[in-house]
Amino acid sequence: MATATTDGVLDCAAWKAMLDREDLGAADASVGVLTKDEFAARSGRVLVWRGTPCGASVALRDFRGNFDADVAMLLVAERDALAAVLADGLGEVPQLVRRGRLHPYMLRTLEDLEALGLAEFVEDFGLVFPRH
């Protein structure tokens, strides 16, 4: 398993350390992290993480335009925005979203995210789902 990209913004060990400091709760689904360039190219590497009872589980996977079934949320950002999250924690995400530097995508419904243990991230990131 590869552990880093050339500039380190998708370094598995660094993301695990940051996520463990965040004290993630266990979830039954993963969050994918992808650079804007790789998202646009529909090719590259996606960092995938989830909280477990033993801390964060973090891995790099190949990305060819689609995501494994366990990925329920996706964070797509500029490299410097990902570096800021990596350095300062998930609390940076809402500010980066407001500035248009990080784009979150929900790949499941709000009900699914709640059932999978990810609803807290939706709230913490300041994201909304319209209710009809």
Side-chain angles (χ1 to χ4, degrees):
M1 173 181 71
T3 59
T5 60
T6 55
D7 62 1
V9 296
L10 297 180
D11 182 300
C12 288
W15 275 87
K16 178 171 177 34
M18 181 275 291
L19 292 166
D20 284 346
R21 285 191 307 271
E22 297 281 328
D23 195 26
L24 297 176
D28 293 324
S30 300
V31 175
V33 178
L34 194 61
T35 67
K36 280 186 171 182
D37 292 339
E38 290 171 322
F39 183 73
R42 301 182 61 82
S43 180
R45 305 284 280 167
V46 58
L47 183 130
V48 179
W49 59 264
R50 85 168 62 189
T52 75
C54 301
S57 169
V58 182
L60 276 177
R61 298 179 186 170
D62 288 331
F63 171 66
R64 299 286 177 252
N66 54 17
F67 302 95
D68 295 333
D70 68 315
V71 179
M73 290 179 66
L74 181 63
L75 304 177
V76 177
E78 302 164 357
R79 289 187 172 281
D80 62 334
L82 291 177
V85 172
L86 189 55
D88 299 325
L90 297 175
E92 290 294 307
V93 171
Q95 299 165 49
L96 292 168
V97 170
R98 283 191 298 277
R99 293 183 193 137
R101 297 184 56 224
L102 186 145
H103 303 278
Y105 296 93
M106 271 34 85
L107 306 178
R108 305 279 182 89
T109 66
L110 179 57
E111 292 79 19
D112 287 346
L113 293 173
E114 288 172 346
L116 295 167
L118 292 175
E120 184 177 318
F121 290 112
V122 173
E123 292 174 17
D124 289 350
F125 294 168
L127 307 176
V128 294
F129 278 78
R131 301 251 186 207
H132 299 277

